[in-house]
Amino acid sequence: MTEKTVYNLYSQAYALRCEKLLKDLEKHIIKNMLSIDTVAHFLQESIEFNIPELMEETMKIIVANFKDISAKTPEFLWSLPMKQFT
């Protein structure tokens, strides 16, 4: 599954309040899709949809790889809400 596909599925499941599908997608993202290349995108989704477990996992990757992530996607730093940045 691509990031866009997962985002679309998650958006629909969120709107329809399909809790089982939301949890399954969250687990799929954490297990199979999180990487330095995708972490900024999934952090934004975790904020948008209020997904605490995904936010926690993305923050672990960001903290561990902050220099690489900020060099690769500098606009990411500007998009971070102050709470997550600090």
Side-chain angles (χ1 to χ4, degrees):
M1 270 193 267
T2 66
E3 287 176 57
K4 186 175 181 176
T5 302
V6 171
Y7 177 80
N8 289 336
L9 281 171
Y10 201 94
S11 295
Q12 293 301 312
Y14 186 83
L16 296 170
R17 302 191 189 275
C18 298
E19 296 300 323
K20 171 80 169 99
L21 180 55
L22 291 171
K23 283 293 178 192
D24 289 347
L25 287 168
E26 183 180 328
K27 289 176 186 175
H28 175 75
I29 292 167
I30 291 169
K31 185 176 180 182
N32 301 310
M33 299 183 78
L34 273 183
S35 69
I36 291 174
D37 296 327
T38 64
V39 72
H41 173 80
F42 286 119
L43 175 62
Q44 293 301 327
E45 285 190 20
S46 73
I47 294 167
E48 179 181 346
F49 292 109
N50 190 26
I51 313 169
E53 188 176 340
L54 181 58
M55 186 180 299
E56 182 179 329
E57 293 300 317
T58 57
M59 293 306 291
K60 286 178 188 176
I61 293 172
I62 291 168
V63 169
N65 302 284
F66 187 79
K67 184 177 178 183
D68 295 332
I69 294 167
S70 60
K72 189 174 237 179
T73 51
E75 68 278 359
F76 165 69
L77 295 177
W78 300 111
S79 68
L80 273 177
M82 185 57 74
K83 182 178 178 182
Q84 281 72 27
F85 182 77
T86 55

